[in-house]
Structure formats: structure tokens, C-alpha cells
Amino acid sequence: MTFLAVALPLVFLCYRSGLSSLTRRLLRRGERGAAAEPGAAEATDAVRPAEEPVGAAGEARKERPSVADWLLAAASLAVLLYPLTDIDAFRDRGSGAALTQLDIVAGLALTVLLLEAVRRTVGWSLTIICAIFLIYAYYGAYLPINWPIGHRGFDLSQIVSQLYTGTEGFFGVPMQVAASYIILFTIYGAVLDFSGASRFFIDLSFAAFRRSRAAPGRTVTMAGFLLGTVSGSGVATTVSLGSVAWPVLRRAGYPREPAGGILAAGGIGAILSPPTLGAAAFIIAEYLRVSYLEVLLYATIPTLLYYLGIFLAIEIDSRRFGTHAVPVDAPKAGRLLLRFGYHFSSLILIVVLMALDRSAFQAVAIATAVAFLLSFLDPAHRMGPKRVGQALAKGTLEVLPVTAVCAAAGIIVGVITQTGLGLNLADIIVSMAAGNLLLTTVLAAVAVLLLGLAVPVTASFIIAAVIIGPALFQLGVSQAEAYMFVFYYAVLSEVSPPTALSAVAAAAITGGNTYRTMMMTWRYTLPAFLVPFAFVLTPNGQALLFQGPIGTVLLMTAVSAVAVAALAMATGGLSGVPERLLAAVAAVLLLFLEPVPIVAGLAVLAVAAAVHLVRRRRTA
């Protein structure tokens, strides 16, 4: 509650409402329409808005908070400090019947303020979804009695009690995670950035691959992985990387769309990859009540398979497009590591400290301090008072949208819990799939992808976890497997048509066709779409989450790597349609990770390779 009392007012002071610019646009349209009418001059003068200030000072004034922004900030501070004046008594009034009128007014005000904060930070989609859930909670009793999503209905005091005073509303697990972990990791990323780590990671990536025609594509992918440790955002990594990497890819001979696909795939890998992952990973740790280090272990093998798929696709495309090595003005990798390799130390320190049973909070706090001290080794990036202030400002600004999303997600989670909607929807999903695990998993994947088209990754994961998770639990899927499945598909919504934010950002940088860029991104990231099915559908699949005997883990990883190679062959490595279809069938069989399908998959893959060799000899 204290954290939100700090963050929510900052949202109103840092993010403009956008309503004034909308009003100006409407007025200008009205002026243009009125100008076509007789006597338009007089009418236009009557409605003409005041002249906009010009120059730097004018821009600064336009960016300053308005009186309305200050009033909203003050109101949000008031409704969040009010319970803290006597928090014990506030908790005791936790039941709807015991709430005072002031409690209800404050709770309703906070709900409206949060909806406005979400609208300002991430747009209308999540705002509308939250509003629909609130309407459902209040009017659910009016739904037909034979509808499985109907409920008895709740009045305002009961809804406010659930959201404002309960532990599954505004101040539930997502907000606890934002206050405890996400803010620190965001500030850590900002400190790394201002200490020069981002520049070092890009330079190291360009220095690592020099003399291969596939080197430019590999370089971009590696740089995306390293930059992701700083940004933790797929779109941000894509944009940061694109401005530097697109000229190199263009000189190497990559067409615009494949280059955009590589940029977007490398960017989205930032959220999938240890050691930072995305905000949803912290929520997984809280839901499972395990350490964050354990979640990192869950993600390790799928991440390796993800990048294996990208590198194989890049190797195939370098031959198909006839790309070539590009000389890059960068120091040698060894010299860079000797001079700036200390930037890796804080990342390694986080993992080491968590392995020594330190909490993620302690680990990242110590790593941030280490990154700050090490910055003084580079005179150009010393973290003096000014740079420290800039890093703290950057980290704070980046965490504000996540905080708003986590608080708003509490509205959805609270309503789902109060009305029993989660279990009802889980029953519907299982019934639609007739109790079949494969069909249930397919429906779950589609549902998460569709949800991800409208809301950010963190909100998408939280909503899907409470709705789709129980459907998978009913069919015997463990919590770890179910939550990781939902996590991957929530992340992959950023590269899934028709929105695919990372691909759209990449297309804007390369100037390529947006849809074709989306499809190329989908091709590069295909292993990430299929591997999650492996650890949900088969008993041996848990080995891909580092669960089980080490021998089984290594064997299943090797089999999955062959499956990823077969996918690469199916999507571009083989020239004929028959062998591509055979390679695709082999990949699916191998991902069942059971003895008979594995043998069958290897046999089909061998046939695909044989058909390819025969066809090649005939055409030679």
C-alpha cells in the first residue's frame, strides 16, 4: 500500500492524460469543417483555441503536469494514506458488512484512479477489460441462471472489500512482487545502462563474430540476449538494438523483412532469458512459493532451445539470401573483455548470491551497489550524482507502467476469485476439450495468445494463470509446468500476428512490410511455440524444466535439440515440400519425448534427409 501510495501519484505527474490533445484535434477538425460553410471566418474565430507556445520553453510547459494531474495525484495519495492512519482497524473492517461509508468512497475512488492510471500508461485495452470485470461482479446475478458464469451478484461494499481491504485485490501478489522485486530489478537495469554496460554488450557482440556470412545475424541475436539483461523488455530491446544493428544487417545483404524478424526474435528473447527474465517470472516464483533462482532453472533449457532455433534459422538464411561478412569497427573481443568484462560481474553475482540462499531482494540490491562501484572504472560512465539521479529517474519511470498494470490486474484477480469465475471457465475449457489434455493445451495456448494481443505480458500472464492454470491442473499438469506454459505464451504474444509489437517495432526500423516481418519473426521463434507443449503433454517433459534425474534432463535436452533442428529444416533448411513435411512430422514426434515417438521421429527425419539428398542429386 505504501509503495502504491508513492507510485500512483507519480503516474499522474509523469504521464499526460492525452485528453487535451484529443480536444485540440477535434476543435481543429471542427474548424476545417466550419471553414467550408458561409460566414466561417466569424465562427472560426469564436472557437479558435489559444495559440500554442513555441520553442523549448513551450515544449517544457506543455509537458508539465496540469492542475488536473496534480489533483489526481493528491487524490490517489489521500485514498492510499487514509488506511495507513489506522491500518489495524482498517484490516478489522475487512468484511463488506463492516466497511464504513468512507471506506467505500475511498475504495471506489482508488478503483477509478487506477483505471485512469492504466489508461495513461498502457492504453485503453486493459482499462476496458478491468471495467468489464467490475460490471460482471456487480451485475452477474442478472445473467441467465443456466449460464455457468452466472453468480449471485455483489454490492459495492462487497466488491470494495474484496479489492481494497483483501489480499487478492489491489494489494495482492502482483503488487507485492512489484514493490519487492520489480522496482529493484528495474533500477538495477538502469544503473547497468548508465554505467556503460549496454554499449559494452553491443560492442562485444559485434567483436565476437567477424568472419562468417552468418556473423551479422548471430551478432544481432547475441546482442539482443545481452541487452535484455538491462532492459527486460522485448520491444525496448528491439528498438535499442535496431538502430545499431539494422545498418550492419543491410550491408550484409539481408532483405528488410528477414532482418526485422531477426531483430524482433532477438528482442523478445530478452524476456525469455535468464538471469533477469520479465516481471511475470517474479510472480511465478510467488505463486509457486519457490525461489527466483528455481524459476531461472526452469527457463534455462527452453532458452537454450530458443536460441538454437534462431541460430540454425540464421545459418540457413545466410545461405539462402547470399549474405556476407561485414567489417565492423570494433575492438577485439579479448581486449573488450579485459577492459570492460567487469560489467558481467554483477549479473553473475545475482545468480551466485541466490544459489547461496540469499533472497532475490538482497541479491539485486548488492548487485546494484556493485554495478555502481564498478562504473568508476570507466571515466566516461562514472556514476556521479547526476548519472545516479538519471538512473533512478529512468528506473522509476520504467516501473510505473508495471505498477499500474499489477494493481489493475488485482481488479481482475479479485473479481475472478470472488465470483468463482476462474473455476467455472476452467470447467468450460476442459469440457470443450472433452477432457483431452492435448486439445485443452491447444485451447489454452490460443486463449493466452489472444489475451496477449490486448494487454501487456505481465497482465496477460496474471489473468491466464488464474483462469487457464486451473484447467491444466484438473488434467494432472503440475503447477510449475502450467505456469511456465502460460508464461511462454504470454511472452510470445509480442511476436504473434496480428499485433506482434516487437515485430511492428522492427518493421518500423527496417522499413519492411509489417505482416511479412511478423511472419519471419514467427519463423525464427517457432521453437518457443512448440517446446512448451513438450513439458506439459509428456511425463519426460518436466526434464526440460530441469526437474528429474540429470541423465534424463540431458537426454531430453538432446532430443529436443534434434527436434528444433528438424523444425529449422522444415521451415527453410530443405528445398522440397515432401521433405519439409517429413521434417515437420519428425519434429512433432520428437517433442513427445517418449521412447516410441522418439524412435519414430528419428526414422522420419532420416527419411526426410534421404529424400532431400536424392532430389538434390537428380537436379545436380
Side-chain angles (χ1 to χ4, degrees):
M1 192 177 289
T2 305
F3 174 73
L4 190 58
V6 174
L8 189 57
L10 287 176
V11 169
F12 294 114
L13 298 179
C14 296
Y15 285 81
R16 303 285 73 79
S17 69
L19 297 179
S20 59
S21 61
L22 175 61
T23 303
R24 286 196 296 270
R25 286 198 298 270
L26 291 175
L27 284 171
R28 286 166 186 163
R29 286 180 187 174
E31 290 175 19
R32 288 195 293 270
E37 301 291 333
E42 295 82 357
T44 303
D45 289 337
V47 298
R48 189 185 305 278
E51 291 295 325
E52 288 291 328
V54 294
E59 289 299 317
R61 282 196 293 273
K62 197 164 67 173
E63 288 300 313
R64 288 174 183 165
S66 65
V67 174
D69 295 328
W70 282 104
L71 290 175
L72 290 173
S76 59
L77 185 63
V79 297
L80 285 162
L81 290 182
Y82 156 68
L84 294 175
T85 57
D86 192 351
I87 190 65
D88 292 330
F90 182 76
R91 285 173 177 165
D92 291 340
R93 299 194 301 270
S95 64
L99 292 182
T100 66
Q101 286 293 77
L102 189 55
D103 293 336
I104 296 172
V105 171
L108 290 175
L110 180 57
T111 304
V112 174
L113 289 166
L114 281 174
L115 291 177
E116 170 61 9
V118 170
R119 186 194 67 80
R120 291 187 179 207
T121 53
V122 298
W124 280 102
S125 297
L126 183 57
T127 309
I128 293 171
I129 291 173
C130 290
I132 290 172
F133 271 89
L134 289 170
I135 293 169
Y136 167 72
Y138 191 77
Y139 290 105
Y142 296 98
L143 293 173
I145 195 168
N146 59 337
W147 285 21
I149 61 171
H151 60 82
R152 63 184 180 85
F154 299 92
D155 59 29
L156 287 179
S157 64
Q158 291 171 313
I159 296 172
V160 168
S161 177
Q162 175 76 359
L163 301 181
Y164 192 34
T165 67
T167 57
E168 292 176 330
F170 304 139
F171 313 112
V173 169
M175 182 52 59
Q176 293 172 27
V177 170
S180 303
Y181 304 118
I182 296 175
I183 177 63
L184 276 179
F185 270 85
T186 306
I187 291 175
Y188 166 65
V191 170
L192 264 186
D193 187 17
F194 277 87
S195 67
S198 297
R199 183 72 258 173
F200 163 67
F201 291 152
I202 292 175
D203 288 343
L204 180 63
S205 301
F206 279 102
F209 302 105
R210 286 180 179 270
R211 296 186 179 87
S212 166
R213 60 184 173 185
R218 294 176 189 165
T219 296
V220 171
T221 304
M222 178 180 174
F225 168 72
L226 293 174
L227 274 180
T229 62
V230 177
S231 74
S233 164
V235 178
T237 303
T238 300
V239 173
S240 301
L241 187 59
S243 57
V244 177
W246 163 231
V248 177
L249 292 174
R250 181 173 51 199
R251 282 184 308 187
Y254 277 94
R256 296 177 185 274
E257 288 78 14
I262 292 173
L263 288 172
I268 203 67
I271 312 180
L272 297 170
S273 306
T276 50
L277 295 174
F282 300 99
I283 299 173
I284 292 174
E286 287 296 313
Y287 280 165
L288 295 177
R289 301 206 174 275
V290 299
S291 69
Y292 181 63
L293 180 61
E294 195 162 338
V295 178
L296 296 187
L297 287 176
Y298 294 160
T300 299
I301 295 175
T303 297
L304 294 174
L305 296 174
Y306 176 79
Y307 283 103
L308 173 64
I310 293 179
F311 277 114
L312 289 174
I314 287 171
E315 190 68 36
I316 291 167
D317 282 352
S318 67
R319 301 172 187 275
R320 186 166 57 148
F321 299 130
T323 62
H324 50 82
V326 175
V328 178
D329 185 18
K332 291 185 178 180
R335 184 180 301 173
L336 277 171
L337 284 171
L338 285 174
R339 177 64 183 89
F340 299 107
Y342 59 82
H343 285 299
F344 285 116
S345 59
S346 61
L347 291 167
I348 297 170
L349 185 62
I350 290 175
V351 178
V352 171
L353 288 173
M354 288 193 293
L356 295 174
D357 287 334
R358 292 293 188 99
S359 68
F361 183 93
Q362 290 176 313
V364 73
I366 294 171
T368 303
V370 168
F372 163 75
L373 293 173
L374 291 175
S375 72
F376 290 92
L377 297 176
D378 181 6
H381 294 94
R382 285 175 181 164
M383 298 286 290
K386 182 179 179 181
R387 294 185 75 83
V388 168
Q390 291 172 333
L392 290 174
K394 180 176 183 286
T396 302
L397 284 173
E398 288 180 351
V399 85
L400 293 181
V402 180
T403 303
V405 166
C406 288
I411 295 175
I412 298 171
V413 173
V415 170
I416 287 173
T417 305
Q418 187 175 39
T419 61
L421 180 64
L423 293 176
N424 291 336
L425 289 179
D427 289 336
I428 292 172
I429 293 172
V430 174
S431 299
M432 287 176 61
N436 181 277
L437 179 58
L438 174 60
L439 188 52
T440 301
T441 309
V442 171
L443 291 175
V446 172
V448 179
L449 287 177
L450 291 175
L451 183 62
L453 300 180
V455 298
V457 170
T458 305
S460 175
F461 169 78
I462 295 169
I463 298 168
V466 297
I467 293 176
I468 293 170
L472 297 175
F473 302 156
Q474 287 184 31
L475 298 177
V477 179
S478 72
Q479 284 190 325
E481 293 162 351
Y483 286 143
M484 290 302 290
F485 179 89
V486 171
F487 169 68
Y488 278 106
Y489 271 89
V491 171
L492 291 170
S493 64
E494 285 206 3
V495 293
S496 301
T499 52
L501 296 179
S502 292
V504 170
I509 293 169
T510 64
N513 178 274
T514 301
Y515 177 74
R516 287 201 292 270
T517 302
M518 288 181 187
M519 298 313 295
M520 289 301 300
T521 306
W522 180 82
R523 176 174 162 251
Y524 284 122
T525 58
L526 185 58
F529 283 89
L530 295 184
V531 168
F533 280 92
F535 54 70
V536 168
L537 294 177
T538 66
N540 285 329
Q542 64 180 351
L544 299 182
L545 299 180
F546 247 113
Q547 295 180 311
I550 188 63
T552 304
V553 170
L554 294 175
L555 178 60
M556 293 304 111
T557 302
V559 172
S560 299
V562 176
V564 169
L567 281 174
M569 294 168 65
T571 57
L574 299 176
S575 56
V577 174
E579 52 264 49
R580 285 190 177 194
L581 290 175
L582 287 170
V585 171
V588 172
L589 288 171
L590 288 167
L591 285 174
F592 273 98
L593 300 181
E594 295 297 322
V596 174
I598 289 173
V599 173
L602 292 173
V604 173
L605 187 59
V607 172
V611 170
H612 176 68
L613 291 174
V614 169
R615 287 167 61 90
R616 210 164 110 187
R617 284 180 184 174
R618 286 180 179 176
T619 56

